[in-house]
């Protein structure tokens, strides 16, 4: 996750390319949007998302899965739920209406009072051998920046990330992609086509546009951005806003 879900003072050194800002002392929480609302906001600015349905009953979840096509994933979704995996609030590879119905019942039953209003987000189950991470990070000194990096299990091991100040142009976005050290992941890889650079540029420019259109955004975390048949798709997203 992009380490900026809070308002923090981060020291910077002029002329030195910074690692992702890491919150430390005296960070105050800021409101977050639900996954569904986060994706809806980003999709309005060109960030690609899956055909998902947000429902409130197990029967509606099964109907949504029938409409989407199997297999699907189901997640408990709410503005106060930021760490679904850690709480066991994600069900993967559901391949029938009965499986979806049971999963939705379990997820709704797992909701806590502090979660507030919740629903079940039903989405296609997609997979890819490459994951990226992208987002908006608000720097206390310079303002909003767009971030791109290698995601998935390699994220912490390689720490391959790059930033640009908002607004960014398509040329800026292309340079961000070229900045990544692990270029082999962007080419044809394990039988999959090369990453569609134009579509990845769309993601980065879309994040920049979202930051401009919504100055209240403190951070936006698109993680993972899975590469499916060469096309990057936002599988999960979390937007935090300043109160």
């Amino acid at each position: 996750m992009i380490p900026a879900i809070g308002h923090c003072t981060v020291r910077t050194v002029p002329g030195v390319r910074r690692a992702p800002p890491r919150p430390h002392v005296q960070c105050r929480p800021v409101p977050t949007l639900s996954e569904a609302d986060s994706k809806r906001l980003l999709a309005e600015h060109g960030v690609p998302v899956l055909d998902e349905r947000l429902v409130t009953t197990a029967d509606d979840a099964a109907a949504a899965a029938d409409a989407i096509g199997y297999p699907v994933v189901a997640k408990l979704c709410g503005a106060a739920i930021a760490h679904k995996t850690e709480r066991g609030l994600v069900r993967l590879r559901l391949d029938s209406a009965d499986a979806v119905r049971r999963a939705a019942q379990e997820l709704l039953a797992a909701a806590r009072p502090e979660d507030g209003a919740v629903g079940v987000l039903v989405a296609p189950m997609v997979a890819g051998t490459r994951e990226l991470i992208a987002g908006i990070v608000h720097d206390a000194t310079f303002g909003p920046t767009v971030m791109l990096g290698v995601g998935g299990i390699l994220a912490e091991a390689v720490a391959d990330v790059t930033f640009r100040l908002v607004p960014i142009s398509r040329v800026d976005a292309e340079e961000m992609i070229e900045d990544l050290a692990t270029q082999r992941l962007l080419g044809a890889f394990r039988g999959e086509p090369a990453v569609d650079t134009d579509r990845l540029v769309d993601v980065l420019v879309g994040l920049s546009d979202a930051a401009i259109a919504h100055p209240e955004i403190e951070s936006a975390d698109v993680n993972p951005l899975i590469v499916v048949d060469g096309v990057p798709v936002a599988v999960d997203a979390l937007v935090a806003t300043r109160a």
Side-chain angles (χ1 to χ4, degrees):
M1 179 177 293
I2 295 175
I5 308 300
H7 180 75
C8 312
T9 300
V10 180
R11 293 183 179 180
T12 59
V13 179
V16 175
R17 190 175 180 179
R18 298 180 298 108
R22 298 186 181 278
H24 37 223
V25 296
Q26 296 182 336
C27 294
R28 59 178 176 79
V30 296
T32 60
L33 303 183
S34 69
E35 178 182 344
D37 287 340
S38 295
K39 289 177 176 175
R40 187 176 299 114
L41 183 153
L42 297 177
E44 290 173 355
H45 298 280
V47 176
V49 300
L50 298 168
D51 177 19
E52 302 175 332
R53 314 291 168 87
L54 182 64
V55 299
T56 55
T57 70
D59 286 340
D60 285 346
D66 283 340
I68 292 170
Y70 296 94
V72 298
V73 57
K75 314 175 192 178
L76 192 66
C77 182
I81 301 174
H83 304 291
K84 296 180 289 293
T85 302
E86 291 87 338
R87 286 181 52 188
L89 302 179
V90 180
R91 300 291 186 274
L92 303 174
R93 301 179 184 85
L94 303 173
D95 58 5
S96 70
D98 286 342
V100 172
R101 191 175 289 107
R102 286 193 300 271
Q105 290 170 344
E106 293 170 357
L107 292 171
L108 292 169
R112 301 169 181 170
E114 60 266 28
D115 291 334
V118 299
V120 175
L121 190 62
V122 181
M125 182 76 206
V126 298
T129 58
R130 292 165 292 181
E131 294 184 11
L132 301 172
I133 179 172
I136 301 166
V137 179
H138 194 278
D139 184 274
T141 301
F142 300 107
T145 65
V146 173
M147 180 270 239
L148 172 68
V150 173
I153 59 174
L154 295 176
E156 293 186 7
V158 300
D160 189 5
V161 294
T162 182
F163 296 84
R164 289 293 188 281
L165 291 173
V166 169
I168 69 169
S169 66
R170 296 190 70 84
V171 172
D172 294 326
E174 290 168 356
E175 291 176 349
M176 290 180 70
I177 297 169
E178 293 171 359
D179 281 349
L180 294 180
T182 47
Q183 289 291 312
R184 285 188 62 189
L185 289 177
L186 303 179
F189 187 79
R190 294 185 179 178
E192 295 184 3
V195 175
D196 187 328
T197 302
D198 286 339
R199 301 289 286 274
L200 185 51
V201 166
D202 290 341
V203 172
L204 299 175
V205 173
L207 288 168
S208 176
D209 291 346
I212 294 170
H214 302 276
E216 71 277 10
I217 291 178
E218 180 73 13
S219 65
D221 182 0
V222 180
N223 183 22
L225 186 66
I226 294 183
V227 179
V228 182
D229 294 329
V231 179
V233 180
V235 175
D236 201 349
L238 182 67
V239 171
T241 61
R242 289 185 291 280

